[in-house]
Amino acid sequence: VDYEGWVSNPWGFCMADRVLYGDGDGDSSSSSLLLPRPKNRFEVLEAYGRHVDYEEQMWDPVKIRRFMTKAVSHLFAGEPNAKRYRVALDDIAGLPKKLMAKDPNLFEKQPPLSELILDAALKHLSEEVLYRSPEESWEKLVWEEEEMERKKNVVSSVVLSGSRNNGEDASSDVVASEMRSTSKSLIQEWQISRKEEEKNYCGDD
């Protein structure tokens, strides 16, 4: 099992059970005993917020808060502004120690940790990212991989042609230009595809 990959990008495995085992209906006797699956990452943060608030009531926030925030610091790995979200969590993690050193009353006036985490997510991440479902995230991942493979094939063809006609320097410039445009266009193309599918679906109704 790739535990390092799991920790660094947990949402990347959100469809693992359904893809590998077809466990997507939630009708089996075993799954009926479990809590409902979250529909998006915002719901993950809401559920996790209830847990961290309980933990901070039981234990010293100065000692445990950094562990609490670290658990969700990579939930949005690879998304726009994910680094800003992680920086915000790091600031939140240091608040108890910082405020308690100045005046314990200052910390008592702070909002609960669950609220601070949700505020950080809402401030730095888009609604499209926060409310994207596991299915949509999986489709996006597959789309990006297929597009990357297609672009690699295109680049390879251009490199081969360029090396024959203009030499290695020209080929390198073509590769660099093509790869820069690839990373910017993948998400945009996926979003356009999603909108077209939704439009066609509504039209069928």
Side-chain angles (χ1 to χ4, degrees), residues 85 115 131 198:
Y85 165 75
E115 185 176 334
Y131 296 104
E198 292 174 359

Side-chain angles (χ1 to χ4, degrees), residues 61-155:
V62 174
K63 296 181 178 179
I64 70 167
R65 176 167 289 193
R66 192 165 296 279
F67 295 102
M68 297 292 99
T69 57
K70 186 177 181 180
V72 289
S73 62
H74 295 287
L75 185 59
F76 300 94
E79 301 289 0
N81 292 329
K83 184 176 181 179
R84 294 182 181 181
Y85 165 75
R86 292 196 302 272
V87 170
L89 288 187
D90 189 63
D91 292 339
I92 293 169
L95 277 177
K97 184 176 182 179
K98 180 179 179 181
L99 295 178
M100 291 291 284
K102 292 183 177 180
D103 184 353
N105 292 327
L106 293 176
F107 177 72
E108 295 297 330
K109 297 177 182 178
Q110 284 287 303
L113 178 54
S114 59
E115 185 176 334
L116 294 174
I117 291 175
L118 288 175
D119 286 346
L122 289 169
K123 179 178 180 180
H124 298 292
L125 302 163
S126 68
E127 289 188 3
E128 191 275 328
V129 169
L130 289 170
Y131 296 104
R132 187 191 304 144
S133 69
E135 293 81 4
E136 290 171 333
S137 297
W138 171 251
E139 291 175 4
K140 179 175 178 289
L141 177 62
V142 172
W143 171 274
E144 289 176 347
E145 290 181 348
E146 290 177 347
E147 285 299 292
M148 282 297 293
E149 187 64 28
R150 182 179 67 83
K151 297 276 177 109
K152 284 181 181 178
N153 292 335
V154 171
V155 171

Side-chain angles (χ1 to χ4, degrees), residues 158-191:
V158 172
V159 169
L160 182 59
S161 175
S163 62
R164 290 175 177 173
N165 299 328
N166 301 319
E168 295 298 331
D169 292 339
S171 301
S172 299
D173 293 339
V174 171
V175 172
S177 177
E178 185 67 24
M179 294 306 294
R180 283 195 297 268
S181 63
T182 296
S183 60
K184 294 180 180 179
S185 65
L186 288 178
I187 293 179
Q188 184 178 5
E189 291 179 8
W190 175 81
Q191 291 175 336

